[in-house]
Amino acid sequence: MTNSPAQSEFRPSSVGNDVVIRTENVSIYYGSFQAVRNVFLDIPKNKVVALIGPSGCGKSTLLRCYNRLNDLIPGARVEGKITYQGTELYDSRVDPVEVRRRIGMVFQKPNPFPKSIYENIAFGARVNGYKGNMDELVERSLRGAALWDEVKDKLKASGLSLSGGQQQRLCIARAIAIEPEVILMDEPCSALDPISTLRVEDLMHELKKQFTIIIVTHNMQQASRVADYTAFFNAEAGNGGSRYGYLVEYDRTENIFNSPRQQATQDYVSGRFG
Ligand code: ADP
């Protein structure tokens, strides 16, 4: 193990050839502030990848740049290269709306539309031009999010009438209804009780058969339970005292937790800071 904050040597071969998203030397700025520095990270297909690390080290910032949500923040800027299925995500010819269709997002706080359970699923699908049988899509999506049995008799009830855990699964159902390839999850369980959390974690094991999942979590047990690969980020003081986030180490989850190569990772996963 070393103390150096050297960039991970984890390269594409380590996750196999089936890389869905390739992150090459990515830095992210808010105005002149560099929030994330020089990240190399490959996301393997049909796996769950967890981004962990202390608050403020840029995990959410990095996650948001995978579906170009940072575009909506004035002053936010991405340098380097992110390639999704061989296409450069930040190429001027790429439509960010199409990116967000293929790379969906589930947020920290469940945010169903103030519409019926049915419409929460149907609305986005319709906007995306879905022409198939809507009842079937709604059922399939709710089943996929392990919610169908709980809501099948009240599809006209408001999505907001559900419990927090059910609302989050409704948001997952809404995300999978438009058939993305990747689902980004930003602390999806932090507003949920422990039982709902376990249900969403179980669901992730199912979902990865069909989707690739990148999850930001503060909960290390959660990362160890759900993630195939884990990326540990930390923050360092840069010029002028501001702190930038960087990737310390990326590896199979069991290696990150049981035999990390970097001292900082060891300190973090054993609860010594963060
Ligand atoms: P994490 O998810 O690891 O807690 P964030 O990605 O939220 O970290 O934040 C990384 C850094 O970027 C922090 O210093 C934070 O204050 C800053 N930051 C996040 N969002 C914005 C924003 N919209 N505008 C300016 N700075 C931001």
Side-chain angles (χ1 to χ4, degrees):
M1 259 188 301
T2 73
N3 285 310
S4 96
Q7 190 52 246
S8 165
E9 285 158 20
F10 198 80
R11 299 306 304 153
S13 55
S14 315
V15 293
N17 293 324
D18 228 354
V19 173
V20 179
I21 297 179
R22 185 153 282 165
T23 315
E24 290 173 90
N25 206 14
V26 163
S27 297
I28 309 170
Y29 296 80
Y30 295 107
S32 59
F33 168 59
Q34 187 179 37
V36 171
R37 183 180 284 190
N38 303 127
V39 171
F40 290 81
L41 186 68
D42 288 336
I43 308 294
K45 192 173 167 62
N46 295 114
K47 302 283 184 219
V48 178
V49 174
L51 312 184
I52 65 167
S55 189
C57 65
K59 305 178 297 293
S60 300
T61 297
L62 181 67
L63 191 76
R64 285 195 298 264
C65 83
Y66 288 131
N67 72 347
R68 294 194 48 173
L69 267 190
N70 287 330
D71 290 16
L72 308 175
I73 301 175
R77 184 164 56 84
V78 176
E79 274 180 7
K81 192 162 147 190
I82 300 178
T83 321
Y84 166 67
Q85 309 273 38
T87 300
E88 223 182 294
L89 264 193
Y90 284 80
D91 187 294
S92 58
R93 289 162 296 185
V94 169
D95 175 6
V97 175
E98 177 62 13
V99 171
R100 289 176 207 133
R101 198 194 68 68
R102 298 223 204 161
I103 304 179
M105 182 119 182
V106 174
F107 295 88
Q108 185 167 4
K109 199 166 165 292
N111 58 350
F113 301 134
K115 292 176 183 290
S116 68
I117 292 167
Y118 186 99
E119 272 304 308
N120 260 278
I121 312 294
F123 181 74
R126 218 179 280 123
V127 168
N128 277 287
Y130 180 73
K131 298 276 189 301
N133 182 319
M134 195 59 86
D135 290 354
E136 274 174 24
L137 178 73
V138 169
E139 178 171 344
R140 191 165 68 239
S141 305
L142 289 167
R143 280 190 189 282
L147 188 58
W148 174 250
D149 289 340
E150 291 158 65
V151 301
K152 63 176 187 250
D153 298 324
K154 51 175 180 179
L155 294 175
K156 290 199 172 121
S158 168
L160 297 171
S161 68
L162 298 172
S163 73
Q166 289 173 325
Q167 287 188 18
Q168 195 61 306
R169 280 180 282 137
L170 181 61
C171 293
I172 292 171
R174 181 177 70 187
I176 63 182
I178 55 172
E179 299 181 335
E181 281 141 16
V182 180
I183 305 175
L184 310 176
M185 297 188 173
D186 194 353
E187 303 239 21
C189 301
S190 64
L192 306 186
D193 61 73
I195 292 173
S196 301
T197 295
L198 286 179
R199 292 211 66 171
V200 171
E201 289 180 5
D202 284 346
L203 183 54
M204 279 186 232
H205 289 293
E206 279 304 308
L207 292 175
K208 75 176 181 187
K209 294 176 188 157
Q210 215 181 328
F211 308 99
T212 301
I213 298 174
I214 311 176
I215 175 176
V216 167
T217 177
H218 270 121
N219 180 333
M220 282 190 273
Q221 284 76 29
Q222 176 163 79
S224 66
R225 285 192 295 259
V226 301
D228 300 288
Y229 293 88
T230 296
F232 169 60
F233 291 80
N234 203 354
E236 281 279 311
N239 292 340
S242 65
R243 290 167 74 75
Y244 65 88
Y246 65 100
L247 175 64
V248 176
E249 188 167 352
Y250 180 41
D251 208 334
R252 289 186 184 281
T253 296
E254 61 268 25
N255 293 342
I256 290 290
F257 285 96
N258 302 328
S259 51
R261 286 170 291 149
Q262 301 288 335
Q263 185 65 48
T265 313
Q266 177 67 47
D267 291 347
Y268 185 76
V269 299
S270 59
R272 257 172 261 160
F273 75 98

